[in-house]
Amino acid sequence: ENKNKDGRGSSERPRGAPGALLLCSQPYGFPVELFSSCSRKMTETTFDVGMTCGGCSGAVKRILGKFDGVSNIDANLETKKVVVTHDDTVKKEEMLEKLLKWSAASGKSVALAS
């Protein structure tokens, strides 16, 4: 059990951890399990990205990590696939637009996976 700075126990775990509680922002800072009014459906979007090195995968992660609602980014250099786990506030077209801007500057290919 984790302890808050005031000594109380907390069941909050890092975002995306197995068995993690999803939390809503509360005015008093106490973790509260999500209710239907603040829950978001999580979705995975996969991109084909011509990554050739750790610098490429790092750049892609930095770009996609700026989106509020993105909870995980898995960039695989071997398969040249990037899998983004995000809530329904994040649109795949907006992520693609940002990646295409990087693509134009870097010369690396980017596409939504089919």
Side-chain angles (χ1 to χ4, degrees):
E1 180 179 16
N2 297 329
K3 296 287 184 186
N4 293 334
K5 61 185 172 191
D6 62 2
R8 289 182 310 218
S10 170
S11 60
E12 185 176 1
R13 295 188 185 124
R15 190 169 34 160
L21 288 177
L22 298 177
L23 304 173
C24 285
S25 297
Q26 297 297 311
Y28 304 106
F30 298 111
V32 175
E33 287 187 59
L34 280 178
F35 298 99
S36 60
S37 63
C38 61
S39 64
R40 300 272 187 215
K41 179 181 179 239
M42 299 307 282
T43 304
E44 283 190 351
T45 300
T46 303
F47 297 95
D48 293 317
V49 181
M51 301 175 292
T52 56
C53 66
C56 295
S57 63
V60 168
K61 286 181 176 184
R62 279 190 302 278
I63 291 164
L64 297 173
K66 291 181 181 179
F67 284 92
D68 288 335
V70 168
S71 62
N72 190 55
I73 303 161
D74 179 33
N76 187 312
L77 282 173
E78 287 183 28
T79 63
K80 299 189 183 303
K81 300 269 186 203
V82 176
V83 180
V84 184
T85 306
H86 57 90
D87 67 26
D88 58 358
T89 64
V90 181
K91 306 299 178 219
K92 62 184 174 184
E93 296 81 10
E94 293 172 356
M95 290 188 290
L96 179 60
E97 180 182 331
K98 295 293 185 183
L99 289 176
L100 286 172
K101 185 176 179 180
W102 170 79
S103 170
S106 67
K108 308 296 181 184
S109 62
V110 171
L112 271 170
S114 49

